[in-house]
Amino acid sequence: MDLDVFVTAHRAEWDRLDHLLKRGRRLTGTEVDELVELYQRTAAHLSQIQSSAPDPALTARLTQLVARARATVTGTRRASWRDATRFLTQGFPAAVYTSRHWWVPTAVASILVAALIGWWIAAHPEVQSSIAAPDDLRRMTRPGGEYEAYYSSHPAASFAAQVWTNNAQAAAMCLVLGAFLCIPVLWILLLNMLNLGIGLGLMASAGRLDTFLGLLLPHGLLELTAVFVAAGTGLRLGWAVIDPGPRSRRTALAQQGRAALGMAIGLALVLFVSGVIEGFVTPSGLPTWARIAIGVAAEAAFLLYVYVLGGRAARAGQTGDVDAVDRSAELRVAA
């Protein structure tokens, strides 16, 4: 793009838009239509300049102009209960549903890794001895030992709050750090699956795998699903940097980033539910089958929520991104 020629060709439109914006509420109906058209053109011009011939001064001027025009055209928009309801019934489940091709394989691969680690530890006493001394291993795996006492070591309410905070932080890290070419997300997943695999292996070696699963499954099904969704979304965000497709890398990252931000809010609510289960159900005196049934019911409810409400919203065009009026105009670029 020849920037000087481009500026000469469109300066009059930008000046006219600036003039109309300065007039404010004194515009006629025809002038309002003109303002909207010029706003759309200027937003497109800004996108072209950013992708083809970025010039700091010109970009700053057009960005300010587009922002002023957008505020005039759309007005000030405040979040409402209707927005929250729409997010919970359409935006969030649609975002999880549309990213299922990322988080479902992530979940399958992660569980396989944890299972392999658990088998390796259970089948090799020398690996167990490298983790801890024999007395320490017995203290961890015996009836009433550290693995079991962990869930009842604090009051249920404070324990649920602590668990929720820790898991929400892990999910947020997956979502945020995905932009760094996926590598931090894979590392976080590996650490989580390593911890899970160690627990599986040590308790299996002590002949108490059923006890471990009875403690893990009530809250772990929903908790791990939320972590896998966050990790899959983070990987999708990182892949947008590596391969943005027909969009500019900046546009692709912005789209996936906005969806990831909404995903963080939704997953915090999901992890709150799993934290409540871990704080109140897992250490309760309920039979093992009843505790597991509650966990299975919570997991099934979440999957139905995603695949029914989310699938319906996705087929209606929802992606989890913000509404068009709440984001700047964008253009496709050549691949």
Side-chain angles (χ1 to χ4, degrees):
M1 174 192 293
D2 189 320
L3 189 59
D4 292 333
V5 173
F6 189 83
V7 171
T8 301
H10 298 292
R11 180 185 286 118
E13 295 175 280
W14 304 335
D15 291 341
R16 175 61 177 170
L17 177 59
D18 183 55
H19 173 73
L20 292 174
L21 290 172
K22 288 179 179 177
R23 291 192 56 191
R25 297 180 179 273
R26 295 173 295 173
L27 298 176
T28 65
T30 302
E31 288 174 330
V32 170
D33 291 339
E34 183 184 6
L35 187 148
V36 172
E37 183 178 354
L38 288 173
Y39 158 60
Q40 293 173 334
R41 289 184 188 175
T42 304
H45 296 159
L46 175 60
S47 181
Q48 286 179 284
I49 291 171
Q50 288 175 325
S51 61
S52 302
D55 177 86
L58 183 58
T59 298
R61 183 199 171 189
L62 293 186
T63 299
Q64 184 182 41
L65 193 59
V66 167
R68 289 168 54 206
R70 178 171 172 270
T72 300
V73 170
T74 63
T76 302
R77 188 172 179 274
R78 296 181 179 179
S80 65
W81 284 110
R82 180 179 297 178
D83 294 321
T85 301
R86 187 181 180 198
F87 168 75
L88 291 175
T89 58
Q90 298 182 35
F92 173 58
V96 179
Y97 179 83
T98 55
S99 63
R100 67 192 185 282
H101 298 302
W102 287 89
W103 63 263
V104 171
T106 298
V108 173
S110 298
I111 291 172
L112 286 175
V113 168
L116 286 173
I117 293 174
W119 168 82
W120 182 54
I121 292 173
H124 295 82
E126 67 275 11
V127 177
Q128 300 166 28
S129 63
S130 69
I131 295 174
D135 289 341
D136 293 331
L137 293 178
R138 282 191 291 272
R139 188 167 55 250
M140 286 189 288
T141 59
R142 71 189 180 195
E146 293 179 6
Y147 273 117
E148 292 182 52
Y150 168 77
Y151 295 101
S152 55
S153 57
H154 300 284
S158 61
F159 182 65
Q162 179 184 349
V163 167
W164 176 51
T165 301
N166 292 340
N167 290 331
Q169 287 176 343
M173 289 176 64
C174 286
L175 292 169
V176 172
L177 297 178
F180 295 94
L181 304 181
C182 305
I183 296 173
V185 177
L186 296 174
W187 179 247
I188 293 171
L189 270 178
L190 179 60
L191 291 179
N192 276 272
M193 293 307 102
L194 179 61
N195 288 332
L196 177 58
I198 290 174
L200 289 170
L202 293 180
M203 290 294 276
S205 68
R208 307 194 68 236
L209 181 60
D210 55 341
T211 300
F212 183 77
L213 293 178
L215 293 170
L216 174 68
L217 293 179
H219 65 274
L221 289 172
L222 188 60
E223 177 185 298
L224 288 174
T225 299
V227 172
F228 294 146
V229 170
T233 303
L235 294 174
R236 187 183 188 187
L237 181 63
W239 192 254
V241 178
I242 299 170
D243 181 15
R247 306 160 294 180
S248 69
R249 185 166 280 103
R250 178 175 178 175
T251 297
L253 188 59
Q255 289 176 343
Q256 298 300 334
R258 289 190 298 263
L261 178 61
M263 194 86 81
I265 298 171
L267 289 178
L269 297 176
V270 176
L271 287 168
F272 174 77
V273 174
S274 73
V276 169
I277 295 174
E278 188 168 1
F280 292 91
V281 176
T282 299
S284 72
L286 291 172
T288 300
W289 67 264
R291 289 186 279 112
I292 293 177
I294 292 173
V296 171
E299 174 75 357
F302 178 70
L303 293 178
L304 284 173
Y305 168 73
V306 169
Y307 279 87
V308 176
L309 285 183
R312 183 185 305 155
R315 288 188 290 273
Q318 289 284 336
T319 62
D321 199 355
V322 298
D323 293 336
V325 297
D326 292 326
R327 59 179 186 260
S328 58
E330 55 197 36
L331 289 177
R332 291 185 176 271
V333 298

